[in-house]
Coordinates of all heavy atoms in Angstrom, one line a residue:
M135 N 31.2 25.1 -23.2 CA 30.9 24.4 -21.9 C 31.2 22.9 -21.9 O 30.9 22.3 -22.9 CB 29.4 24.5 -21.5 CG 28.9 25.9 -21.2 SD 27.2 25.8 -20.8 CE 27.1 27.0 -19.6
G136 N 31.8 22.4 -20.9 CA 32.2 21.0 -20.9 C 31.2 20.2 -20.2 O 30.1 20.6 -19.8
F137 N 31.5 18.9 -20.1 CA 30.6 18.0 -19.4 C 30.4 18.4 -18.0 O 31.3 18.7 -17.3 CB 31.2 16.6 -19.5 CG 30.4 15.5 -18.8 CD1 29.3 15.0 -19.4 CD2 30.7 15.1 -17.5 CE1 28.5 14.1 -18.8 CE2 30.0 14.1 -16.9 CZ 28.8 13.6 -17.6
G138 N 29.2 18.4 -17.5 CA 28.8 18.7 -16.2 C 28.6 20.2 -15.9 O 28.3 20.6 -14.8
S139 N 28.8 21.0 -17.0 CA 28.6 22.4 -16.8 C 27.1 22.8 -16.9 O 26.3 22.0 -17.5 CB 29.3 23.2 -17.9 OG 30.7 22.9 -17.9
Y140 N 26.7 23.9 -16.4 CA 25.3 24.3 -16.5 C 25.3 25.8 -16.6 O 26.2 26.5 -16.2 CB 24.5 23.8 -15.3 CG 25.0 24.4 -14.0 CD1 24.5 25.6 -13.4 CD2 26.0 23.7 -13.3 CE1 24.9 26.0 -12.2 CE2 26.4 24.2 -12.0 CZ 25.9 25.4 -11.5 OH 26.3 25.8 -10.3
D141 N 24.2 26.3 -17.1 CA 24.0 27.7 -17.2 C 23.3 28.2 -15.9 O 22.2 27.8 -15.5 CB 23.1 28.0 -18.4 CG 22.9 29.5 -18.6 OD1 23.4 30.3 -17.9 OD2 22.2 29.8 -19.6
E142 N 24.0 29.1 -15.1 CA 23.5 29.5 -13.8 C 22.2 30.3 -14.0 O 21.4 30.3 -13.0 CB 24.5 30.4 -13.1 CG 25.7 29.6 -12.6 CD 26.7 30.4 -11.8 OE1 26.4 31.5 -11.4 OE2 27.9 29.9 -11.6
S143 N 21.9 30.8 -15.1 CA 20.7 31.5 -15.3 C 19.5 30.6 -15.2 O 18.3 31.0 -14.9 CB 20.6 32.3 -16.6 OG 20.6 31.4 -17.7
E144 N 19.7 29.3 -15.5 CA 18.6 28.3 -15.4 C 18.4 27.8 -13.9 O 17.5 27.1 -13.6 CB 19.0 27.0 -16.2 CG 19.0 27.3 -17.7 CD 19.5 26.1 -18.5 OE1 19.6 25.0 -17.9 OE2 19.6 26.3 -19.7
Q145 N 19.3 28.3 -13.0 CA 19.2 27.9 -11.6 C 18.4 28.9 -10.8 O 18.5 28.9 -9.5 CB 20.6 27.6 -11.1 CG 21.4 26.6 -11.9 CD 20.8 25.2 -11.9 OE1 20.3 24.8 -10.8 NE2 20.7 24.6 -13.0
K146 N 17.7 29.8 -11.4 CA 17.0 30.8 -10.7 C 15.9 30.2 -9.8 O 15.5 29.1 -10.0 CB 16.4 31.9 -11.6 CG 15.4 31.3 -12.5 CD 14.9 32.4 -13.5 CE 13.9 31.7 -14.4 NZ 13.5 32.6 -15.5
D147 N 15.4 31.0 -8.8 CA 14.4 30.5 -7.9 C 13.1 30.5 -8.6 O 12.5 31.5 -9.0 CB 14.3 31.5 -6.7 CG 14.5 30.7 -5.4 OD1 14.6 29.5 -5.4 OD2 14.6 31.4 -4.3
D148 N 12.5 29.3 -8.8 CA 11.1 29.2 -9.3 C 10.1 29.3 -8.2 O 10.4 29.1 -7.0 CB 11.0 27.9 -10.1 CG 11.8 27.8 -11.4 OD1 12.0 28.9 -11.9 OD2 12.1 26.7 -11.8
N149 N 8.9 29.6 -8.6 CA 7.8 29.6 -7.6 C 7.6 28.2 -7.1 O 7.1 27.3 -7.8 CB 6.5 30.2 -8.3 CG 5.4 30.3 -7.3 OD1 5.6 30.1 -6.1 ND2 4.2 30.6 -7.8
T150 N 7.9 28.0 -5.8 CA 7.7 26.7 -5.2 C 6.5 26.7 -4.1 O 6.5 25.9 -3.2 CB 9.0 26.2 -4.5 OG1 9.4 27.2 -3.6 CG2 10.1 26.0 -5.5
D151 N 5.6 27.7 -4.3 CA 4.5 27.8 -3.4 C 3.4 26.9 -3.9 O 2.6 27.2 -4.8 CB 4.0 29.2 -3.3 CG 2.9 29.4 -2.2 OD1 2.9 28.5 -1.3 OD2 2.2 30.4 -2.4
F152 N 3.3 25.7 -3.3 CA 2.3 24.7 -3.8 C 1.1 24.6 -2.9 O 1.2 24.7 -1.7 CB 2.9 23.3 -3.9 CG 4.0 23.2 -4.9 CD1 5.3 23.1 -4.5 CD2 3.8 23.2 -6.3 CE1 6.4 23.0 -5.4 CE2 4.8 23.2 -7.2 CZ 6.1 23.0 -6.7
D153 N 0.0 24.4 -3.5 CA -1.3 24.3 -2.7 C -1.5 22.8 -2.4 O -1.2 21.9 -3.3 CB -2.4 24.8 -3.5 CG -3.7 24.9 -2.7 OD1 -3.6 24.8 -1.5 OD2 -4.8 25.2 -3.3
D154 N -1.9 22.4 -1.2 CA -2.1 21.0 -0.8 C -3.2 20.4 -1.7 O -3.1 19.1 -1.9 CB -2.6 20.9 0.6 CG -1.4 21.2 1.6 OD1 -0.2 21.0 1.2 OD2 -1.7 21.4 2.8
D155 N -4.1 21.1 -2.3 CA -5.1 20.5 -3.2 C -4.5 20.0 -4.5 O -5.0 19.1 -5.2 CB -6.1 21.5 -3.5 CG -7.0 22.0 -2.3 OD1 -7.0 21.1 -1.4 OD2 -7.6 23.1 -2.3
D156 N -3.3 20.5 -4.8 CA -2.6 20.1 -6.1 C -1.7 18.9 -5.8 O -1.2 18.3 -6.8 CB -1.7 21.2 -6.6 CG -2.6 22.4 -7.1 OD1 -3.7 22.2 -7.5 OD2 -2.1 23.5 -7.1
A157 N -1.6 18.5 -4.6 CA -0.6 17.3 -4.2 C -1.3 16.0 -4.6 O -2.5 15.9 -4.8 CB -0.4 17.4 -2.7
V158 N -0.4 15.0 -4.8 CA -0.8 13.7 -5.2 C -1.1 12.9 -3.9 O -0.2 12.9 -3.0 CB 0.2 13.0 -6.0 CG1 -0.2 11.5 -6.3 CG2 0.5 13.7 -7.3
N159 N -2.2 12.3 -3.8 CA -2.5 11.4 -2.6 C -2.1 10.0 -3.0 O -2.7 9.3 -3.8 CB -4.0 11.4 -2.4 CG -4.4 10.6 -1.2 OD1 -3.6 10.0 -0.5 ND2 -5.7 10.6 -0.8
V160 N -1.0 9.6 -2.3 CA -0.4 8.2 -2.6 C -1.3 7.1 -2.1 O -1.1 5.9 -2.4 CB 1.0 8.1 -2.0 CG1 1.9 9.1 -2.7 CG2 1.0 8.3 -0.5
H161 N -2.2 7.4 -1.2 CA -3.1 6.4 -0.6 C -4.4 6.3 -1.4 O -5.3 5.5 -1.0 CB -3.4 6.7 0.9 CG -2.1 6.7 1.7 ND1 -1.4 5.6 1.9 CD2 -1.4 7.8 2.2 CE1 -0.3 6.0 2.6 NE2 -0.3 7.3 2.8
E162 N -4.6 7.0 -2.4 CA -5.8 7.1 -3.2 C -6.2 5.7 -3.8 O -7.4 5.3 -3.9 CB -5.7 8.1 -4.3 CG -7.0 8.4 -5.0 CD -6.9 9.5 -6.0 OE1 -6.2 10.5 -5.7 OE2 -7.4 9.4 -7.1
S163 N -5.2 5.0 -4.3 CA -5.4 3.7 -5.0 C -4.8 2.5 -4.3 O -4.2 1.6 -4.9 CB -4.8 3.8 -6.4 OG -5.4 4.9 -7.1
E164 N -4.9 2.5 -3.0 CA -4.3 1.4 -2.2 C -5.1 0.1 -2.5 O -6.3 0.1 -2.8 CB -4.3 1.7 -0.7 CG -3.3 2.6 -0.3 CD -3.2 2.8 1.2 OE1 -3.9 2.1 1.9 OE2 -2.3 3.6 1.6
H165 N -4.4 -1.0 -2.4 CA -5.1 -2.3 -2.5 C -4.4 -3.3 -1.6 O -3.3 -3.0 -1.0 CB -5.1 -2.8 -3.9 CG -3.7 -3.0 -4.5 ND1 -3.0 -4.1 -4.4 CD2 -3.0 -2.1 -5.2 CE1 -1.8 -3.9 -5.0 NE2 -1.8 -2.7 -5.5
D166 N -5.0 -4.5 -1.4 CA -4.4 -5.5 -0.5 C -3.3 -6.3 -1.1 O -2.6 -7.0 -0.4 CB -5.5 -6.4 0.0 CG -6.6 -5.7 0.9 OD1 -6.2 -4.7 1.5 OD2 -7.7 -6.2 0.9
G167 N -3.1 -6.2 -2.4 CA -2.0 -6.9 -3.0 C -2.4 -8.3 -3.4 O -1.5 -9.1 -3.7
D168 N -3.7 -8.6 -3.5 CA -4.1 -10.0 -3.9 C -3.9 -10.1 -5.4 O -4.3 -9.2 -6.2 CB -5.6 -10.2 -3.6 CG -5.8 -10.3 -2.1 OD1 -4.9 -10.7 -1.4 OD2 -6.9 -10.0 -1.7
V169 N -3.2 -11.1 -5.9 CA -3.0 -11.3 -7.3 C -3.4 -12.8 -7.6 O -3.1 -13.7 -6.9 CB -1.4 -11.2 -7.6 CG1 -1.2 -11.5 -9.1 CG2 -1.0 -9.7 -7.3
S170 N -4.0 -12.9 -8.7 CA -4.4 -14.2 -9.2 C -4.2 -14.3 -10.7 O -4.3 -13.3 -11.4 CB -5.8 -14.6 -8.8 OG -6.7 -13.7 -9.5
F171 N -4.0 -15.5 -11.2 CA -3.9 -15.7 -12.7 C -4.3 -17.1 -13.0 O -4.3 -18.0 -12.2 CB -2.5 -15.4 -13.2 CG -1.4 -16.3 -12.6 CD1 -1.0 -17.4 -13.3 CD2 -0.8 -16.0 -11.4 CE1 -0.1 -18.3 -12.8 CE2 0.2 -16.9 -10.9 CZ 0.5 -18.0 -11.6
E172 N -4.7 -17.2 -14.3 CA -5.1 -18.5 -14.7 C -4.0 -19.2 -15.6 O -3.5 -18.5 -16.5 CB -6.4 -18.5 -15.5 CG -7.6 -18.0 -14.7 CD -8.9 -17.9 -15.4 OE1 -9.0 -18.5 -16.6 OE2 -9.8 -17.2 -15.0
S173 N -3.7 -20.4 -15.3 CA -2.7 -21.1 -16.2 C -3.1 -22.6 -16.1 O -3.5 -23.1 -15.1 CB -1.3 -20.9 -15.6 OG -0.4 -21.7 -16.3
E174 N -2.9 -23.2 -17.2 CA -3.1 -24.7 -17.3 C -1.8 -25.5 -17.0 O -1.8 -26.7 -16.9 CB -3.7 -25.1 -18.6 CG -5.1 -24.5 -18.9 CD -5.6 -24.9 -20.2 OE1 -5.1 -25.8 -20.9 OE2 -6.6 -24.3 -20.6
M175 N -0.7 -24.7 -16.7 CA 0.5 -25.4 -16.4 C 0.6 -25.6 -14.9 O 0.1 -24.9 -14.1 CB 1.7 -24.4 -16.8 CG 1.7 -24.2 -18.3 SD 3.1 -23.0 -18.8 CE 4.5 -24.1 -18.5
S176 N 1.2 -26.8 -14.5 CA 1.4 -27.1 -13.1 C 2.6 -26.3 -12.6 O 3.4 -25.6 -13.3 CB 1.7 -28.6 -13.0 OG 3.0 -28.9 -13.5
N177 N 2.7 -26.2 -11.3 CA 3.9 -25.5 -10.7 C 5.2 -26.1 -11.2 O 6.1 -25.3 -11.4 CB 3.8 -25.7 -9.1 CG 2.7 -24.7 -8.5 OD1 2.2 -23.9 -9.2 ND2 2.4 -25.0 -7.3
E178 N 5.3 -27.4 -11.3 CA 6.5 -28.0 -11.8 C 6.8 -27.6 -13.2 O 8.0 -27.2 -13.6 CB 6.4 -29.5 -11.8 CG 7.7 -30.2 -12.1 CD 7.6 -31.7 -12.0 OE1 6.9 -32.2 -11.1 OE2 8.3 -32.4 -12.8
E179 N 5.8 -27.5 -14.1 CA 6.0 -27.0 -15.4 C 6.5 -25.5 -15.4 O 7.3 -25.1 -16.2 CB 4.7 -27.2 -16.3 CG 4.4 -28.6 -16.6 CD 3.0 -28.8 -17.2 OE1 2.1 -28.0 -16.8 OE2 2.9 -29.6 -18.1
L180 N 5.9 -24.7 -14.6 CA 6.3 -23.3 -14.5 C 7.7 -23.2 -14.0 O 8.4 -22.3 -14.5 CB 5.3 -22.6 -13.6 CG 3.9 -22.4 -14.1 CD1 3.0 -21.8 -13.0 CD2 3.9 -21.5 -15.3
V181 N 8.1 -24.0 -13.0 CA 9.5 -23.9 -12.6 C 10.5 -24.4 -13.6 O 11.5 -23.8 -13.8 CB 9.6 -24.8 -11.3 CG1 11.1 -24.9 -10.9 CG2 8.9 -24.1 -10.1
D182 N 10.1 -25.4 -14.4 CA 10.9 -25.9 -15.5 C 11.1 -24.8 -16.5 O 12.2 -24.5 -17.1 CB 10.3 -27.1 -16.1 CG 10.5 -28.4 -15.3 OD1 11.3 -28.3 -14.3 OD2 9.8 -29.4 -15.5
Q183 N 10.0 -24.1 -16.9 CA 10.0 -23.0 -17.9 C 10.9 -21.9 -17.4 O 11.7 -21.3 -18.1 CB 8.6 -22.5 -18.1 CG 8.5 -21.5 -19.2 CD 7.2 -21.0 -19.5 OE1 6.2 -21.4 -18.9 NE2 7.0 -20.1 -20.5
L184 N 10.8 -21.5 -16.1 CA 11.7 -20.5 -15.5 C 13.1 -20.9 -15.6 O 14.0 -20.1 -15.9 CB 11.2 -20.2 -14.1 CG 12.1 -19.2 -13.3 CD1 12.1 -17.8 -14.0 CD2 11.7 -19.1 -11.9
S185 N 13.4 -22.2 -15.3 CA 14.8 -22.7 -15.4 C 15.3 -22.6 -16.8 O 16.5 -22.2 -17.0 CB 14.8 -24.1 -14.9 OG 16.1 -24.6 -15.0
Q186 N 14.5 -22.9 -17.8 CA 14.9 -22.8 -19.2 C 15.2 -21.3 -19.5 O 16.1 -21.0 -20.2 CB 13.8 -23.3 -20.1 CG 13.7 -24.8 -20.0 CD 12.6 -25.4 -20.9 OE1 11.9 -24.6 -21.5 NE2 12.4 -26.7 -20.9
M187 N 14.3 -20.4 -19.0 CA 14.5 -19.0 -19.3 C 15.8 -18.5 -18.7 O 16.5 -17.6 -19.3 CB 13.3 -18.2 -18.8 CG 12.0 -18.4 -19.5 SD 10.6 -17.8 -18.7 CE 10.9 -16.0 -18.8
K188 N 16.2 -19.0 -17.6 CA 17.4 -18.6 -16.9 C 18.6 -19.2 -17.5 O 19.7 -18.8 -17.3 CB 17.4 -19.0 -15.4 CG 16.5 -18.1 -14.6 CD 16.6 -18.5 -13.1 CE 15.9 -17.6 -12.2 NZ 16.1 -17.9 -10.8
G189 N 18.4 -20.3 -18.4 CA 19.5 -21.0 -19.0 C 20.1 -22.0 -18.2 O 21.2 -22.5 -18.5
G190 N 19.5 -22.3 -17.1 CA 20.1 -23.4 -16.1 C 19.5 -24.7 -16.3 O 18.4 -24.8 -16.8
D191 N 20.2 -25.7 -15.9 CA 19.7 -27.1 -15.9 C 19.6 -27.6 -14.4 O 20.6 -27.9 -13.8 CB 20.6 -28.0 -16.6 CG 20.1 -28.4 -18.0 OD1 18.9 -28.2 -18.2 OD2 20.9 -28.9 -18.8
D192 N 18.4 -27.6 -13.9 CA 18.2 -28.0 -12.5 C 17.6 -29.4 -12.4 O 17.1 -29.8 -11.4 CB 17.2 -27.0 -11.8 CG 17.8 -25.6 -11.6 OD1 19.1 -25.6 -11.6 OD2 17.1 -24.7 -11.4
D193 N 17.7 -30.2 -13.4 CA 17.2 -31.6 -13.4 C 18.1 -32.5 -12.7 O 19.2 -32.5 -12.6 CB 17.0 -32.1 -14.9 CG 15.9 -31.4 -15.6 OD1 14.9 -31.0 -14.9 OD2 15.9 -31.2 -16.8

């Protein structure tokens, strides 16, 4: 068998009868998206650090 080939016996019809109770509820763990973190660095220091990480000189 070459690249991209498949065994047709693996393509048989599987049981696809699913019960709604087995489904995943995507709204189960919703949140408002509030994020906070603690840092002793100022915004300017954080931007400078990001600039260094990117390898650029924005001075």
Side-chain angles (χ1 to χ4, degrees):
M135 291 182 146
F137 179 76
S139 298
Y140 62 91
D141 184 0
E142 290 184 14
S143 66
E144 295 177 3
Q145 304 298 317
K146 64 183 176 189
D147 238 354
D148 288 334
N149 181 9
T150 56
D151 186 23
F152 296 109
D153 191 10
D154 285 341
D155 293 336
D156 295 334
V158 175
N159 182 358
V160 297
H161 302 287
E162 184 176 323
S163 300
E164 285 188 0
H165 60 85
D166 293 333
D168 294 332
V169 176
S170 63
F171 62 94
E172 294 182 19
S173 174
E174 295 181 12
M175 297 177 73
S176 69
N177 285 344
E178 185 175 327
E179 291 171 322
L180 290 170
V181 170
D182 287 343
Q183 183 178 5
L184 176 61
S185 178
Q186 289 175 0
M187 291 169 65
K188 286 183 170 183
D191 256 344
D192 292 337
D193 291 328

